Amino acid sequence: MLSDGLPSPQFIAPARTRAEKVRFQRVKVSVLGRYMLADRREFPCQILEMSPGEALVIAPVPGVVGEKIIAYVDHIGRMEGTIIAQVDGGFLMEVAASPRKRDRMAAQLTWLANKDLLNLPEDRRHERVVPDNRHSTVVLDDGRRYNCKIIDISLSGAAIELDVRPAMGTPVTLGRMRARVVRHFQNGVAVEFASAQEMLTVVQQNLRMN
């Protein structure tokens, strides 16, 4: 059962005018989830296009324009929003989120949209998530230090944006985590930790800049 942090079933938010709507560039994705309409009914759904401000949802019951909904989407998490248009087989949802949450959503959408193109590792043993703090450092064994931005992490490794490309197998220290380079892609590298961790919160703490 999805959390019912919705107004009463009778509440329908007023439709926003086209001039009031903030437009975002949507990217093509394919992720599954569930959504709940204002009358508390729940249904499965699939997101085909999404930005930090909008989502194109394929849904068995489209709801009505102006209706508030809550959705839980794989890799994205909980989203709140309003139906702003009905489309063939579903609806277009305007996402309500804080600037910080939009930034995190944008990072996760970038990974979802480009993981195949960039050949990012799809480690199916462990879920991959975007960390709260994406800035860290990479230190090579010879002492050279580079700032980096973390694309995603799992219990066993991370994908990072990095200006240099250490050779495959090169040992590095990412934050305070010992790791080795296991893959190159256009904007960085993927690393595998020296030992798999037990909690993502521990991974995040150890990836912070020293």
Side-chain angles (χ1 to χ4, degrees):
M1 183 70 174
L2 298 179
S3 171
D4 61 353
L6 284 168
S8 64
Q10 292 77 23
F11 177 84
I12 301 295
R16 299 177 64 186
T17 65
R18 183 175 299 275
E20 291 175 317
K21 294 174 184 175
V22 179
R23 289 301 177 193
F24 298 84
Q25 182 64 45
R26 296 199 301 266
V27 296
K28 293 186 182 299
V29 295
S30 180
V31 288
L32 302 177
R34 292 186 65 81
Y35 68 101
M36 182 170 66
L37 297 172
D39 62 5
R40 310 307 197 260
R41 289 182 298 161
E42 296 180 20
F43 304 96
C45 65
Q46 181 179 13
I47 310 297
L48 295 185
E49 293 182 4
M50 189 172 176
S51 77
E54 295 178 343
L56 180 62
V57 184
I58 299 303
V61 179
V64 298
V65 172
E67 185 171 3
K68 294 280 191 177
I69 67 170
I70 289 176
Y72 280 85
V73 180
D74 291 350
H75 303 292
I76 300 296
R78 186 180 191 272
M79 301 191 310
E80 298 181 38
T82 305
I83 297 173
I84 57 175
Q86 292 184 341
V87 299
D88 187 20
F91 56 86
L92 183 63
M93 170 186 177
E94 183 178 56
V95 178
S98 67
R100 181 178 179 183
K101 187 169 183 178
R102 288 193 197 279
D103 287 343
R104 293 185 62 191
M105 197 178 298
Q108 190 69 356
L109 287 171
T110 298
W111 180 78
L112 285 170
N114 293 290
K115 63 185 178 67
D116 293 329
L117 177 65
L118 300 180
N119 199 25
L120 295 178
E122 183 74 36
D123 188 348
R124 298 191 182 278
R125 293 172 299 163
H126 302 122
E127 178 187 8
R128 307 192 72 88
V129 301
V130 178
D132 293 332
N133 186 351
R134 299 181 61 211
H135 297 283
S136 189
T137 56
V138 169
V139 181
L140 305 185
D141 277 358
D142 62 8
R144 284 179 293 168
R145 178 185 296 264
Y146 302 94
N147 292 329
C148 67
K149 182 177 287 188
I150 300 171
I151 298 173
D152 63 50
I153 60 173
S154 76
L155 296 176
S156 58
I160 58 177
E161 293 180 8
L162 190 64
D163 291 335
V164 297
R165 304 290 185 278
M168 300 281 285
T170 298
V172 299
T173 301
L174 176 59
R176 295 188 292 270
M177 301 280 289
R178 293 293 297 166
R180 65 184 181 91
V181 177
V182 294
R183 190 165 306 190
H184 293 169
F185 53 86
Q186 182 179 359
N187 297 317
V189 300
V191 300
E192 183 180 71
F193 300 141
S195 59
Q197 305 300 300
E198 295 183 359
M199 297 178 62
L200 283 173
T201 53
V202 174
V203 175
Q204 294 198 57
Q205 291 171 359
N206 285 325
L207 292 185
R208 292 172 182 165
M209 290 186 291
N210 295 324

